[in-house]
Structures are given as C-alpha cells and as structure tokens.
Amino acid sequence: MTPQDIRSAADLARLPVTSKDALLDLQRKAPPFGGFLAADEAAIRRIFVSPGPIYEPQLNDDQDGHGFSHGFRRAGIGPQDRVLNTWSYHLVPAGVLLDQGIVATGATVIPCGPGGAEQQAQLILELGVTCICASTAFFVTLVNTLEHMGHQLPGAWKVKSALLGGEMGDWMGKRRALETRYGIKIFSAYATGDFGLIGYEETGQEGYAVQPERLVQICDPQTGTPLPLGETGEIVVTTLDRGWPLVRFGTGDVASGSVASADGFVSHISLLKGRVGQAVKAREIFIYPRNVEEVLMQVPHMQRAQVVVTKQEHRETVTLRGVLHPGVDAATVEKALHEIFKQRTRLKLDAVEWISADDLVIDAPVLVDRKYA
C-alpha cells in the first residue's frame, strides 16, 4: 500500500492496529522513538515519559496542548477565568497539555500539580479561581479541606466549573451530586498521553464528541475490524499530526460509537466501558466491567453482581450471580434483570443465581471467565 491507496475509512481499516505494547517494543529496539518520529530532532520541545516507559515527543508547533483547547472552549473557559491546574507536570504530559490548552483560550493558569491540598485550597480563595482541573478524588479532597478550614461552600468561592477525571462506576451520578452540592458545572474529556485530547463533552449529550483532528474507529479487539455503531470495541485512533503521526493506534480503551461522520469515521463515542484486557468473550460478544456496573445502576434492588462465563459442551453460557438487598422479591427483580442485561450486552442470560453477601465479597471481580477451567 502507498499513501495514495488510502482515501476512506474502509481503506484505512486495511492497515493493522498498532498496540501500545507494540510501540513500546519498537522503542526499545530503536530508541528513543521507535522510528515514528517524522521531524528533525531539533524540532522537539519536550519529551514526555508515560508508563512503560513510552517516549512521546512534543514539537514546536503544538500551541493548543494536543487539542485540549477544544474541550476548554466548549466548556466556556476564556479570558475571564483563572484555572487551577492540579494535574502533574512531572514526566507525564497531563499537566503541560492542559496548561497549554487553557492558555490558548486566553484564560490564566495557576500551575500546581497534585498534592499540598491546604495550600491549594487557600489559593482557590485568595486568587479567585473560577475553574479547577483535578482528579475527582483530589477535587473532593480540596472541597473537604476548605470546609474543614471553616469556609462555607459554594458561597465562599468563585469556582463555576471543574474539569474532573472520570471514574468507573456511577460516574455521572457522582458528578450530579457534586454539581448540586457545590454549585458548579462539571465537564470531562477523553484523552491519552499519545494523542492529547480525543473527545470532549457537548451540552446535553453523554459521552464525547471526537475532536476534528482525530480519526476514530471502534474496532474488534482481536481482528481490528471496525464495528457498527452501538457495538462495543477498542477505540482506535489515527492522527496525522506533523512530526508524530500515529496511524490506527489502539488505545486499549473500550467504548461504543453512537454517531458516524460522512467520511465513515466515528464522531461521537460513549463513556468508557473498561480496558481491552478486562473483557470476557461469550458467544462472539465481549462483556466489559462497565456493562455489569450499568446493570447494577439500573437494578437498584441489587447490592452486587458478578457475571460468570462457562462452557458446556460446545455452548458458552452466561450466569449472573447477584446479591439482593434484604426483603426484595427475587422473582420481581429477575424479569427486569434479563431485559436490562440484554440491552447492555446484546447477550441473553442463561441463568441468574441469587447468593448471600458472604458468598460475593465487595472486591470480587465483576467478570469471571471459566470457559477453559
């Protein structure tokens, strides 16, 4: 194939997916960039070091933090804002890329990095911070610190919004609770160290709109074949950024596509459902931890759940082991459970097994593969 052979999403799909592990292996064989650098080394402004380690060059012409300015502008951040950035500036790209994205909007950055909650809490008040960028856990630490210092929130601060790192579980429910409690608007983004910003939130839509400089496909984790809208698979991204192009690069993250663009790529993806290695396959369909969590969210009568995949002769069977809240009628829950599970996974449950809380500890895995046990 030559570059001239690639004129569509279907043409691009003829190329194999490159995994993070493959990139790491190539960088070890040909350090430091594995042959992917398409620029003079003098053009490198920074070298980020992500876990692996994987080395990621940032070139002189990156002025918007690998696209992060898109997300901040969509959230209404601009010259009127002072933004506290608590993401790390050390080795990993998060702190610097967010910093550049904020600056590109005309807003002012207070570069802090993680840690030092008491000092940062004081900065929020004394500098009139209007937006906080943080992990959800550190944001909660900051507001708890302010309250322990005797400040009444939200009256004591000027914070109007927060860019928070997403979490698995009932992430949207936690967000809504924080928004109500502290009088702010929370937004999030989907980004990786390799690409910077891949997707940002749009008002009224759950999930992420793909930023215009990224070409996204949702692919079968085993074959790399693009999947239809609504099916869950690996997020595979292509970027033709000058100097550091990545073509059909597998992020390892799992989501489904909900909207396609005219050129055949995915333009809107769901919230993340997990990682590729966390999936269990049953009857040619992958089940992810997020699927089980979504079922639990929709069936509030259940405390915990675990999905077990086994093989009986030549057929794979799916059993849900569930713990009910005291006093709940199992028969009533079971009918709804079958329907919700099918909606979330496109698979039919073979059996539901109700067990006691002692038989399913809190930190038990939500997915168990016993096909070959």
Side-chain angles (χ1 to χ4, degrees):
M1 294 181 71
T2 69
Q4 289 71 33
D5 294 324
I6 301 176
R7 290 287 179 265
S8 67
D11 293 335
L12 194 66
R14 293 167 58 194
L15 294 169
V17 174
T18 298
S19 67
K20 283 180 180 282
D21 287 342
L23 176 58
L24 178 60
D25 186 53
L26 288 167
Q27 288 193 348
R28 284 174 173 166
K29 290 177 179 176
F33 302 116
F36 281 72
L37 182 67
D40 191 290
E41 292 200 2
I44 300 173
R45 179 190 297 173
R46 297 180 180 89
I47 297 175
F48 298 120
V49 182
S50 293
I54 291 178
Y55 301 120
E56 295 144 349
Q58 184 188 35
L59 305 184
N60 288 325
D61 55 359
D62 181 9
Q63 301 297 323
D64 70 347
H66 273 14
F68 265 105
S69 61
H70 290 281
F72 284 111
R73 288 195 176 97
R74 289 290 181 139
I77 303 300
Q80 74 283 358
D81 288 295
R82 290 182 179 178
V83 184
L84 183 79
N85 185 15
T86 76
W87 288 96
S88 178
Y89 285 72
H90 175 64
L91 290 180
V92 296
V96 171
L97 296 186
L98 265 68
D99 191 301
Q100 290 181 307
I102 295 162
V103 169
T105 71
T108 300
V109 184
I110 299 100
C112 286
E118 288 191 7
Q119 182 182 15
Q120 295 203 41
Q122 199 65 32
L123 292 177
I124 290 170
L125 301 182
E126 293 182 355
L127 296 180
V129 167
T130 60
C131 177
I132 297 172
C133 297
S135 69
T136 302
F138 191 60
F139 177 83
V140 171
T141 297
L142 287 173
V143 295
N144 287 342
T145 301
L146 283 165
E147 290 173 336
H148 290 155
M149 293 166 65
H151 300 291
Q152 298 294 317
L153 301 180
W157 68 7
K158 295 183 179 179
V159 176
K160 298 179 294 184
S161 62
L163 170 66
L164 299 188
E167 297 179 338
M168 297 305 287
D170 189 9
W171 161 231
M172 297 306 293
K174 179 177 282 189
R175 277 181 54 170
R176 286 189 286 268
L178 290 171
E179 287 177 328
T180 301
R181 171 67 182 85
Y182 296 107
I184 59 173
K185 175 62 180 175
I186 292 174
F187 60 106
S188 68
Y190 172 51
T192 70
D194 317 283
F195 292 105
L197 185 78
I198 296 173
Y200 53 85
E201 288 190 324
E202 292 188 307
T203 303
Q205 295 188 32
E206 188 172 294
Y208 303 105
V210 175
Q211 74 116 321
E213 295 168 6
R214 305 289 179 258
L215 304 177
V216 170
Q217 297 168 302
I218 302 296
C219 298
D220 183 295
Q222 293 183 335
T223 67
T225 304
L227 298 171
L229 293 179
E231 292 196 20
T232 300
E234 182 179 15
I235 302 170
V236 174
V237 184
T238 295
T239 175
L240 301 181
D241 284 350
R242 186 171 59 183
W244 187 244
L246 292 172
V247 178
R248 292 266 287 167
F249 192 75
T251 63
D253 294 318
V254 170
S256 59
S258 57
V259 181
S261 55
D263 56 10
F265 293 99
V266 173
S267 59
H268 195 279
I269 62 173
S270 68
L271 295 175
L272 301 190
K273 298 178 184 288
R275 297 281 296 171
V276 167
Q278 297 173 319
V280 174
K281 198 172 189 180
R283 302 198 288 271
E284 300 306 314
I285 293 176
F286 286 100
I287 309 171
Y288 295 92
R290 177 71 181 178
N291 296 136
V292 184
E293 291 169 349
E294 289 170 337
V295 170
L296 278 171
M297 282 183 247
Q298 289 192 258
V299 186
H301 301 300
M302 291 171 59
Q303 297 181 48
R304 296 193 284 278
Q306 181 184 72
V307 171
V308 181
V309 180
T310 57
K311 195 167 187 178
Q312 297 180 0
E313 295 181 351
H314 299 293
R315 187 177 184 277
E316 293 167 350
T317 61
V318 182
T319 300
L320 187 142
R321 304 173 73 229
V323 179
L324 289 170
H325 287 289
V328 174
D329 178 57
T332 303
V333 176
E334 195 164 324
K335 182 178 180 181
L337 179 60
H338 278 274
E339 184 60 33
I340 291 168
F341 188 86
K342 187 175 181 180
Q343 289 173 359
R344 290 297 175 181
T345 65
R346 298 186 298 115
L347 280 167
K348 183 179 179 181
L349 278 173
D350 294 287
V352 174
E353 179 185 343
W354 299 114
I355 57 178
S356 70
D358 293 337
D359 293 328
L360 188 62
V361 296
I362 291 177
D363 58 353
V366 295
L367 284 174
V368 178
D369 188 351
R370 292 183 182 158
K371 294 195 297 289
Y372 308 106

